[in-house]
């Protein structure tokens, strides 16, 4: 986005919309800090193995369907 485009978007906002805006300057977006690897490192988790994934879906897959046959 150019500076002119940003200014134009701001000019088109209502006062109510502008009051809700949070401007975040993120020149390196998406950054490594938000990669799944970095998030897992911070949280102390890891990806499931294929065996763990198969067991998870075998156990929980039927529960992850829309209720009452919807969809």
């Amino acid at each position: 986005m150019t500076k002119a485009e940003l200014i134009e978007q701001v000019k088109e906002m209502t006062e109510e919309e502008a009051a809700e805006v949070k401007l975040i300057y993120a020149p390196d977006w998406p950054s490594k800090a938000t990669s799944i690897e970095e998030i897992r490192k911070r949280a102390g988790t890891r990806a499931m193995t294929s065996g763990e994934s198969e067991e998870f879906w075998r156990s929980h897959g039927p529960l992850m369907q829309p209720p009452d046959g919807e969809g």
Side-chain angles (χ1 to χ4, degrees):
M1 173 179 292
T2 67
K3 195 173 180 180
E5 290 169 332
L6 177 60
I7 291 168
E8 190 58 37
Q9 282 189 2
V10 171
K11 286 179 180 178
E12 292 176 5
M13 288 180 183
T14 65
E15 289 298 320
E16 293 80 18
E17 290 171 332
E20 298 296 319
V21 169
K22 306 287 186 274
L23 183 62
I24 299 171
Y25 176 63
D28 297 327
W29 187 261
S31 73
K32 281 180 52 181
T34 58
S35 70
I36 188 63
E37 293 83 12
E38 289 297 315
I39 293 169
R40 283 183 176 144
K41 195 183 308 179
R42 286 193 305 270
T45 63
R46 61 173 175 75
M48 287 191 277
T49 65
S50 59
E52 290 169 332
S53 179
E54 288 175 20
E55 177 58 31
F56 174 85
W57 287 108
R58 188 173 19 260
S59 298
H60 302 288
L63 304 173
M64 296 184 159
Q65 302 299 318
D68 302 325
E70 296 174 7

